[in-house]
Amino acid sequence: MLGYGFLTAVLLASMYASHTLIAYPIISRYGLSRLRSVNITIGGTAVTVTLALIILAVIGGMFKGTVDGWFWVFLVAKVAFLGFLIVFFFPRIGRWFFRKYDDSVMQFVFVLAMVFLGGGLMEFVGMEGILGAFLAGLVLNRLIPHVSPLMNRLEFVGNALFIPYFLIGVGMIIDVRSLFTGGEALKVAIVMTVVATFSKWLAAWITQKIYRMQSNERSMIFGLSNAQAAATLAAVLIGHEIIMENGERLLNDDVLNGTVVMILFTCVISSLVTERSARRFALDENVQAEEEAKKVNTEQILIPVANPETIEDLINLALVIKDAKQKNALVALNVINDNNSSEKKEQQGKRNLEKAAMIAAAADVPVTMVSRYDLNIASGIIHSVKENEVTSIITGLHRKANITDSYFGMLAGNLLKGLNCEIIISKFLIPVNTIKRIVIAVPPKAEYESGFPRWLEHFCRMGSTLGCRVHFFANEQTTARLQTWIKKRHKQVLTDFSLLEDWNDLLVLTGQVSYDHLLVIISARPGTISYDNSFEKLPRQLGKYFSK
């Protein structure tokens, strides 16, 4: 239609294919990230952007060397080898680095260095660097939870520095007058905008028919996938710089100007359509969940911050299990013993609270700081739970002071006796974001406990945020309830189920749990329906067989 050559047409087609999820923050704001249509679009984005960048890299590589039979063999071999290198080694290097260094600045610099290294290596083998950078970002994304200080820093620097710099660079090349004087540039802009928008709507319509979706799900897919931005801009800039044998640019000035118009219109359409679809989904969900919402209290997670060494791990755990819809769900507590109060301990407590708030604030999550005097630590926590309507407590596993000291300690025992809320006693040997699998041992009849939906919700959120599998060990009846609940609430979570008939001996799990897994033991208070006498053996078994 526009009279361009074959390679130009192929590169234009790849530009139409790729898209940017600029409307995803709207989805997050409405808490709809677990929808089927959203997950399909995110998966499609990863595939289509990768393929589009490969096409861009191949076309760019063709103009960097002599094209013959061996060129294609070497090109495929180099890209395959480098892709394998990035996908296989980068996550392992990243996991090792995050375990060894917890300094926030070092972690930020490391992520940028790995992305630049991926781009540089791809440039070194004669391909476009953006493909290597994209692959590096794709594999490192697994190690950086969406709600975390590091992700917040990366997004801020990208949105405040890199993207504006990129857009300024494009704006400097564009000749705005050509859109209103020549006629050809305007024609190209209209054709590109119409084709990009219609092709994305067609893809959404075909997906709707294949999966028998509702019309609003089609609108959601179309809205999320319509925006052209990052990869499209990169492709047009690289194509504009390529000079063909006849002296013309692969993508001329008209295409460059038309691309900017296309980006403007598709981004506006994407935001409007996604906002409208999200509103409809939110209204539908509110109607369906109205009765359920009456039963579930507002979530409040309490984190006692007595030990400065464990604050970061406890806050990071709270960030990956909290409800993203609730803004003020974290409470950091410092309890000062009435009988042993001193100015030094007060100052240390304030520093602990400030550290907790700073870590959460880096992830853009507010924390309510509470400092109180009480008879003892347990009493202070119990009173704070009641005053702040706390639904869950996250505390660290205490260190045994002597041989007669219990495994869980006196504090945990007092909390279990004095409170009915969920209590998570945690011991982290590696950072939360480097966990590869969550292994959960569930006792028989756990599904009849009032706390069953809460802990299951928390660990499903954790698996979803970290992108790791959640492996449940339970008997047949409990497994059936787990599967039903997860299918209803968290279909997108990767889950495995194995039978655990004999709860008396958890040693069967020793072969299933590795050093980079999180082992979760679901227990219950004495006198409850799922309590079992074998729970008395838990401390000894955990200390002896699962210490690592």
Side-chain angles (χ1 to χ4, degrees):
M1 189 183 294
L2 298 174
Y4 294 140
F6 176 73
L7 281 181
T8 303
V10 170
L11 190 54
L12 267 175
S14 72
M15 286 163 57
Y16 295 142
S18 67
H19 55 262
T20 308
L21 296 171
I22 65 155
Y24 188 77
I26 297 172
I27 302 300
S28 300
R29 194 171 74 239
Y30 282 96
L32 301 173
S33 56
R34 61 186 175 84
L35 289 176
R36 175 177 64 163
S37 52
V38 174
N39 289 321
I40 286 174
T41 312
I42 292 170
T45 303
V47 174
T48 192
V49 172
T50 304
L51 294 176
L53 291 178
I54 288 173
I55 289 172
L56 171 63
V58 168
I59 292 175
M62 288 172 63
F63 289 93
K64 292 182 180 179
T66 306
V67 180
D68 54 24
W70 287 108
F71 168 81
W72 295 106
V73 174
F74 283 124
L75 187 70
V76 171
K78 287 188 292 186
V79 173
F81 173 74
L82 194 54
F84 171 78
L85 197 72
I86 292 172
V87 171
F88 186 79
F89 285 107
F90 276 32
R92 284 161 175 77
I93 296 169
R95 196 169 279 113
W96 169 82
F97 187 90
F98 288 135
R99 285 178 191 150
K100 194 168 179 63
Y101 302 100
D102 58 359
D103 183 75
S104 57
V105 176
M106 286 182 68
Q107 289 184 348
F108 177 78
V109 173
F110 169 77
V111 172
L112 289 188
M114 294 299 282
V115 171
F116 292 150
L117 178 63
L121 288 173
M122 200 61 80
E123 287 274 358
F124 180 72
V125 299
M127 303 291 281
E128 293 302 330
I130 189 172
L131 176 60
F134 176 76
L135 287 176
L138 205 62
V139 296
L140 289 176
N141 183 57
R142 158 71 180 79
L143 299 173
I144 308 169
H146 181 68
V147 183
S148 67
L150 181 56
M151 181 65 86
N152 202 46
R153 293 185 184 103
L154 289 168
E155 286 182 346
F156 174 79
V157 171
N159 293 332
L161 183 65
F162 290 161
I163 292 175
Y165 183 80
F166 193 40
L167 293 173
I168 289 168
V170 177
M172 297 289 281
I173 305 171
I174 292 166
D175 181 12
V176 180
R177 288 176 296 179
S178 64
L179 287 170
F180 305 101
T181 56
E184 185 64 26
L186 189 60
K187 175 189 171 186
V188 171
I190 293 171
V191 169
M192 290 181 70
T193 306
V194 170
V195 171
T197 304
F198 176 72
S199 59
K200 289 298 181 185
W201 183 88
L202 192 63
W205 181 78
I206 292 170
T207 306
Q208 177 200 2
K209 295 302 178 186
I210 292 173
Y211 292 102
R212 297 177 182 176
M213 293 176 166
Q214 300 172 355
S215 59
N216 201 37
E217 289 181 290
R218 180 194 67 217
S219 297
M220 181 67 81
I221 294 173
F222 169 63
L224 278 174
S225 64
N226 187 46
Q228 310 282 330
T232 307
L233 269 177
V236 76
L237 279 178
I238 292 166
H240 188 261
E241 291 171 2
I242 294 173
I243 308 296
M244 296 187 290
E245 293 176 356
N246 58 7
E248 294 181 1
R249 296 183 183 273
L250 184 63
L251 297 179
N252 59 28
D253 292 344
D254 292 338
V255 175
L256 182 65
N257 294 328
T259 301
V260 175
V261 174
M262 177 182 74
I263 289 170
L264 174 64
F265 277 97
T266 55
C267 288
V268 170
I269 293 168
S270 173
S271 299
L272 292 175
V273 173
T274 305
E275 179 79 34
R276 190 178 64 179
S277 298
R279 282 178 181 274
R280 288 176 181 169
F281 271 116
L283 288 172
D284 289 344
E285 283 207 342
N286 288 339
V287 171
Q288 293 168 9
E290 194 172 351
E291 291 301 318
E292 200 173 317
K294 290 177 183 176
K295 299 175 186 177
V296 180
N297 295 324
T298 303
E299 184 176 73
Q300 286 280 19
I301 300 174
L302 179 76
I303 306 116
V305 291
N307 185 356
E309 294 178 10
T310 61
I311 291 173
E312 188 165 1
D313 284 329
L314 296 178
I315 294 291
N316 286 333
L317 174 60
L319 290 175
V320 296
I321 68 170
K322 72 178 283 291
D323 186 355
K325 295 179 185 177
Q326 294 186 24
K327 297 299 180 186
N328 299 303
L330 300 186
V331 179
L333 172 67
N334 175 54
V335 180
I336 303 167
N337 196 321
D338 266 342
N339 301 325
N340 192 21
S341 61
S342 68
E343 190 175 336
K344 186 179 178 182
K345 290 199 172 183
E346 286 182 31
Q347 292 298 324
Q348 180 62 48
K350 286 180 181 178
R351 283 197 293 270
N352 290 346
L353 287 174
E354 287 169 1
K355 182 179 179 181
M358 187 173 64
I359 294 167
D364 202 22
V365 175
V367 170
T368 304
M369 295 189 289
V370 177
S371 185
R372 67 176 299 145
Y373 289 88
D374 219 305
L375 293 172
N376 54 57
I377 306 297
S379 176
I381 294 174
I382 291 169
H383 290 148
S384 297
V385 165
K386 294 173 180 177
E387 290 164 6
N388 294 279
E389 298 181 343
V390 168
T391 56
S392 304
I393 299 173
I394 300 178
T395 183
L397 180 66
H398 93 126
R399 293 177 180 175
K400 290 184 71 170
N402 51 60
I403 197 166
T404 59
D405 200 359
S406 65
Y407 182 79
F408 292 115
M410 190 180 294
L411 173 63
N414 290 335
L415 293 180
L416 288 165
K417 289 175 186 174
L419 296 169
N420 288 319
C421 66
E422 173 193 50
I423 300 176
I424 301 174
I425 304 169
S426 58
K427 179 186 178 185
F428 282 98
L429 301 172
I430 61 173
V432 176
N433 59 305
T434 61
I435 292 169
K436 292 180 73 175
R437 181 181 285 259
I438 302 171
V439 178
I440 304 179
V442 189
K445 299 180 182 176
E447 65 272 24
Y448 298 112
E449 300 287 1
S450 60
F452 175 77
R454 192 172 296 281
W455 68 254
L456 189 50
E457 178 79 25
H458 280 164
F459 289 108
C460 283
R461 282 183 200 152
M462 189 177 187
S464 178
T465 304
L466 298 179
C468 59
R469 285 192 171 273
V470 184
H471 193 161
F472 294 93
F473 285 82
N475 64 15
E476 285 188 21
Q477 187 178 354
T478 305
T479 298
R481 284 292 300 273
L482 288 167
Q483 289 172 331
T484 303
W485 196 93
I486 291 169
K487 188 176 180 182
K488 180 183 177 183
R489 299 272 300 176
H490 288 280
K491 286 186 288 187
Q492 82 283 6
V493 177
L494 303 170
T495 52
D496 291 318
F497 298 90
S498 297
L499 284 180
L500 181 65
E501 295 291 355
D502 188 10
W503 182 256
N504 284 304
D505 195 0
L506 289 175
L507 296 186
V508 292
L509 294 180
T510 53
Q512 302 288 335
V513 184
S514 177
Y515 74 96
D516 52 4
H517 293 175
L518 172 66
L519 173 64
V520 182
I521 307 290
I522 305 299
S523 189
R525 293 168 176 79
T528 55
I529 192 167
S530 66
Y531 181 79
D532 192 276
N533 291 329
S534 59
F535 288 172
E536 303 295 335
K537 299 178 185 176
L538 274 180
R540 183 176 58 82
Q541 290 178 333
L542 289 173
K544 187 175 181 180
Y545 300 108
F546 299 99
S547 60
K548 296 182 181 180

